[in-house]
């Protein structure tokens, strides 16, 4: 028997950083899928084979999550939670697979969610989406200590969602289309460091930074309505406002700005960075008449246009 779970990456649309402090964000899943394959074994060992490791990691399942290498830390935290909370008590082979280059679009949350869904199927816990979110987000916090979990929610629910971590509130938004062009800035950055940088700024200037988060939150609420009603002009303006606010948080870069302004100058309705900032991706909202020009101007300033389906299905599991 082999269980395969596959989960998508994500694109943060609006509300980055503020979401860490309990404000809402909007996120859509992207068709960059990662898989976790589990084959049960007769011994009590967990064997993990992943493209990030030259040699498989082999560990007694009772010790999974105990001082793991960085490459397997998230999946081992998930294994440890299934062991400690749901009585997982057997060995298995875990293989992960997916595109080598992820452009900062959520490979680690996708692999982590896929592993959780595969283990859920292995021991038949039958967790619903919300319980799967709680377990997987808990595992992510075990490893990195911070983060809103929006990427975990996106990998589980798929589609486009409105997300707030504290309840958590996870609401699907039904969309016919989302005319975006994604541009990769060419460098990947560590989210944890940028979250810490914003936390330090907030601590130094709470009376300035908290209102920025509150304004971002208002922009997210209005963007949710604009998305639902297909008011792209309004959505574009709100994206630009969000971009200005991320700049004020100190996470924008000159390189991201050049891609963003190239897209706006070519007629995009709005353009902003996506996620923690410091690098990774930006995206632009386009209309059919300007789509090609926006793509070309992003490339003219050295960006890489990434073509991916948006709003794809969340995690799913097959067995053979
Ligand atoms: O850089 P990404 O795509 O991992 O997004 C980070 C988004 C933050 O709001 C900055 C952090 C979080 O966990 O929500």
């Amino acid at each position: 028997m082999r269980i395969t779970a596959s989960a998508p990456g994500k694109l943060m649309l609006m509300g980055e950083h503020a979401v860490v402090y309990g404000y809402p964000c909007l996120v859509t899943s992207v068709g960059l899928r990662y898989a976790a394959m589990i084959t049960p074994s007769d011994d009590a060992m967990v064997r993990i084979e992943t493209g990030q490791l030259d040699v498989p990691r082999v560990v007694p399942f009772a010790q999974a999550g105990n001082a793991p290498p960085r490459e397997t830390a998230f999946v081992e935290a998930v294994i440890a939670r299934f062991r400690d909370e749901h009585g997982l008590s057997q060995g298995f082979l875990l293989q992960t697979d997916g595109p080598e280059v992820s452009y900062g679009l959520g490979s680690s949350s996708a692999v982590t969610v896929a592993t959780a869904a595969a283990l859920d199927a292995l021991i038949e816990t039958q967790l619903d989406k919300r319980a799967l979110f709680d377990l997987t987000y808990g595992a992510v916090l075990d490893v990195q200590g911070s983060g809103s979990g929006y990427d975990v929610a996106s990998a589980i629910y798929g589609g486009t969602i409105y997300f707030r971590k504290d309840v958590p509130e996870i609401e699907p938004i039904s969309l016919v289309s989302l005319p975006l062009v994604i541009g990769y800035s060419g460098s990947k950055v560590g989210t944890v460091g940028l979250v810490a940088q914003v936390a330090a700024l907030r601590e130094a200037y709470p009376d300035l930074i908290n209102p920025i988060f509150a304004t971002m939150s208002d922009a997210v609420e209005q963007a949710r309505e604009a998305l639902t009603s297909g008011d792209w002009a309004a959505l574009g303006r709100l994206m630009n406002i969000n971009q200005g606010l991320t700049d004020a948080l100190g996470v924008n870069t000159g390189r991201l700005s050049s891609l963003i302004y190239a897209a706006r100058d070519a007629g995009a309705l709005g353009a902003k960075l996506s996620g923690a900032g410091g690098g990774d991706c930006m995206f632009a909202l386009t209309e059919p008449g300007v789509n090609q020009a926006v793509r070309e101007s992003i490339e003219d300033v050295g960006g890489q246009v990434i073509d991916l389906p948006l709003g794809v299905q969340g995690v799913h599991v097959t067995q053979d």
Side-chain angles (χ1 to χ4, degrees), residues 26-196:
L26 296 166
V27 52
T28 194
S29 59
V30 300
L32 194 72
R33 296 195 82 89
Y34 288 82
M37 279 93 58
I38 287 190
T39 312
S41 61
D42 295 333
D43 54 20
M45 305 301 282
V46 172
R47 182 185 169 93
I48 305 173
E49 296 178 1
T50 159
Q52 275 81 47
L53 285 180
D54 293 337
V55 184
R57 158 118 166 132
V58 184
V59 62
F61 87 86
Q63 278 165 37
N66 204 344
R70 187 177 43 84
E71 292 82 357
T72 59
F74 289 106
V75 295
E76 288 196 45
V78 164
I79 294 166
R81 282 195 169 243
F82 270 98
R83 180 192 63 218
D84 300 342
E85 294 171 18
H86 297 288
L88 167 70
S89 60
Q90 70 180 93
F92 54 86
L93 164 67
L94 167 64
Q95 296 161 298
T96 68
D97 196 15
E100 233 166 79
V101 186
S102 69
Y103 311 103
L105 292 173
S107 54
S108 96
S109 47
V111 169
T112 309
V113 164
T115 300
L119 285 174
D120 173 59
L122 176 72
I123 61 170
E124 298 178 357
T125 14
Q126 298 185 328
L127 300 180
D128 62 14
K129 284 183 179 165
R130 172 62 200 284
L132 195 63
F133 171 81
D134 287 345
L135 184 145
T136 313
Y137 179 40
V140 168
L141 290 180
D142 291 342
V143 176
Q144 68 181 32
S146 66
S148 66
Y150 86 100
D151 45 0
V152 169
S154 178
I156 292 173
Y157 287 76
T160 300
I161 56 172
Y162 171 94
F163 172 84
R164 187 195 295 272
K165 78 167 180 176
D166 286 335
V167 188
E169 212 177 324
I170 303 170
E171 286 172 23
I173 297 175
S174 88
L175 288 179
V176 180
S177 70
L178 191 53
L180 305 183
V181 175
I182 303 173
Y184 180 54
S185 70
S187 61
K188 250 202 70 56
V189 286
T191 300
V192 174
L194 283 152
V195 168

Side-chain angles (χ1 to χ4, degrees), residues 10 12 16-17 19-20 104 147-151 191 195 274-277 280:
K10 50 74 196 153
M12 168 69 91
E16 45 273 275
H17 288 287
V19 68
V20 174
S148 66
Y150 86 100
D151 45 0
T191 300
V195 168
S274 173
D280 290 339

